[in-house]
Amino acid sequence: MVDEKEMVVKSGEEYPVPSENLTVQKLPTVILVDTSISMAGELPGINAGINTMVRDVQADNVANQQVEFCIISFNDVAKLEQNWKPVNQMNPVEFTPSGCTNLEAGLTMALNKSRERSDYYEHLGTRVKMPFLITITDGHANSGDFNAICNEIRSREEEKKIRPFTIAVSGYDKETIAKLSDKKRVLEFTGPDNHNYMEFFNFLTESLKVLSLPSVNGNVSVESNLGNPSKGSCMQIPDFNDWLNS
């Protein structure tokens, strides 16, 4: 028999998990944000997008019982901004830029926190839906060796233990991002002056709401023009094949 208090300590939690909530399925979501100096112009939009998403999920009476967030930033080092919390206990984020881009440190912490949370609930017998891992970066890794962690993320993705998405900020390094994720799970902006982060976070909000519904057991869909510039989206799926063969 797993001791609940022991598991809370092992998972690094800062809040008690009410026993009545252990029967409710959980949807853990890690948000990993590059706060290096090269991201200075992006952070206000990212802050607004995350904070709006959290408020919208809080207002949904089904999703707010299931969705949990872990917020991590990285520059020279990775920083745990907010440990796993139910969405109703989240604080607003306010990232500021500094330092270089230690992508390996950020990804390592993010993957560890995702694995930790899934293991925690599995030990308690609570159903866990496939966690999201959202990474926002300009992809210029100038510190750390991220090849091994990228391989581990892709392995967990293939095993359906994690659902990674990457927002590739304009000017990003395609070699870096191509190693990080399957090309279908990467979005880039269509132009340097058209960075509407709210579009993505609105899509993520609706996805979390749909996945929280008790009737969802198979494939799901969300109506969105995200990734389709011909229908007004400011984001598109990059052509990695064009880059790889150029």
Side-chain angles (χ1 to χ4, degrees):
M1 180 71 179
V2 177
D3 184 272
E4 290 183 23
K5 293 182 179 179
E6 179 185 5
M7 288 303 302
V8 169
V9 171
K10 284 184 177 180
S11 68
E13 285 308 319
E14 299 170 350
Y15 69 95
V17 180
S19 58
E20 62 268 22
N21 284 352
L22 296 178
T23 59
V24 178
Q25 68 179 5
K26 301 299 179 182
L27 180 50
T29 300
V30 180
I31 299 179
L32 175 65
V33 179
D34 181 347
T35 58
S36 61
I37 197 68
S38 60
M39 292 284 290
E42 310 299 319
L43 295 181
I46 294 170
N47 290 334
I50 292 175
N51 292 333
T52 299
M53 174 188 65
V54 169
R55 289 194 298 269
D56 288 347
V57 176
Q58 287 173 338
D60 187 284
N61 291 331
V62 177
N64 67 18
Q65 298 299 308
Q66 300 180 36
V67 176
E68 296 185 328
F69 288 107
C70 177
I71 309 293
I72 299 170
S73 66
F74 68 96
N75 41 56
D76 294 318
V77 296
K79 179 182 178 182
L80 181 59
E81 299 282 351
Q82 296 189 51
N83 204 357
W84 287 114
K85 291 183 179 181
V87 67
N88 287 328
Q89 297 184 22
M90 291 291 296
N91 300 315
V93 301
E94 189 173 354
F95 299 116
T96 56
S98 67
C100 297
T101 310
N102 192 339
L103 185 55
E104 184 270 340
L107 291 171
T108 297
M109 180 180 287
L111 186 60
N112 286 342
K113 297 304 291 185
S114 177
R115 183 190 294 111
E116 166 193 289
R117 201 60 177 155
S118 294
D119 290 348
Y120 167 67
Y121 278 124
E122 286 174 7
H123 279 298
L124 293 178
T126 300
R127 184 185 176 196
V128 181
K129 291 204 168 182
M130 195 187 317
F132 279 96
L133 169 55
I134 310 299
T135 303
I136 307 175
T137 181
D138 60 11
H140 287 276
N142 45 32
S143 180
D145 178 7
F146 61 92
N147 288 337
I149 189 65
C150 287
N151 290 338
E152 189 171 354
I153 289 173
R154 296 187 71 155
S155 175
R156 288 184 68 81
E157 179 182 4
E158 291 172 0
E159 295 170 0
K160 298 189 180 300
K161 293 182 178 179
I162 198 168
R163 185 185 281 113
F165 282 90
T166 302
I167 305 302
V169 178
S170 296
Y172 72 96
D173 179 47
K174 286 195 173 183
E175 182 177 4
T176 297
I177 299 301
K179 292 178 181 178
L180 174 59
S181 179
D182 184 279
K183 62 184 179 182
K184 293 182 292 185
R185 296 188 184 274
V186 177
L187 289 167
E188 66 179 7
F189 289 104
T190 56
D193 301 318
N194 191 23
H195 292 192
N196 181 7
Y197 287 96
M198 204 66 71
E199 182 186 9
F200 172 77
F201 282 109
N202 286 341
F203 166 77
L204 182 58
T205 299
E206 293 308 309
S207 298
L208 293 170
K209 290 179 181 180
V210 168
L211 288 167
S212 297
L213 295 174
S215 60
V216 173
N217 295 310
N219 293 330
V220 300
S221 62
V222 173
E223 290 189 12
S224 173
N225 292 327
L226 183 71
N228 191 342
S230 66
K231 294 188 176 181
S233 176
C234 70
M235 291 182 165
Q236 63 188 5
I237 298 172
D239 188 349
F240 282 121
N241 288 331
D242 178 65
W243 169 75
L244 289 170
N245 295 304
S246 62

